[in-house]
Amino acid sequence: MSQLTDPAKKKTLLARLARVEGQLRGVQRLIDDEADCEKIAQQLAAARKALDKSFFTMVGCMIEQGHLPGEQVADMLAKYA
């Protein structure tokens, strides 16, 4: 099983996820404040893209570490992407 052990990559990923968390809190505030639906959708799309980038960063780390065969990485991409 592959794990994220590089301290710099770990820090970068955690920072990205903290920003996503902030985006989602902002979306919650927009909904609570009855903001325009298009504005809410725009912020949801931004959060989704940030999560996608986090996911592909993790996949990149798995590939770099070389602990998993290419077929397993491809299966995971097919399953989760």
Side-chain angles (χ1 to χ4, degrees):
M1 178 168 280
S2 185
Q3 294 178 332
L4 182 60
T5 56
D6 181 301
K9 289 182 181 186
K10 208 174 193 179
K11 183 178 178 180
T12 300
L13 185 59
L14 288 172
R16 181 181 306 280
L17 291 173
R19 285 191 299 274
V20 172
E21 183 179 20
Q23 285 177 303
L24 291 175
R25 284 192 183 123
V27 169
Q28 290 172 330
R29 274 192 303 276
L30 288 172
I31 292 169
D32 200 38
D33 294 344
E34 298 179 2
D36 181 64
C37 289
E38 186 173 347
K39 189 172 185 176
I40 294 168
Q42 179 185 27
Q43 293 304 309
L44 283 169
R48 183 183 67 221
K49 287 179 185 181
L51 278 174
D52 284 345
K53 188 164 183 171
S54 299
F55 171 77
F56 288 113
T57 298
M58 271 307 300
V59 171
C61 285
M62 293 171 66
I63 292 168
E64 282 178 9
Q65 290 176 3
H67 295 213
L68 292 177
E71 307 86 48
Q72 273 188 292
V73 175
D75 289 344
M76 189 187 71
L77 282 170
K79 184 176 182 180
Y80 296 117

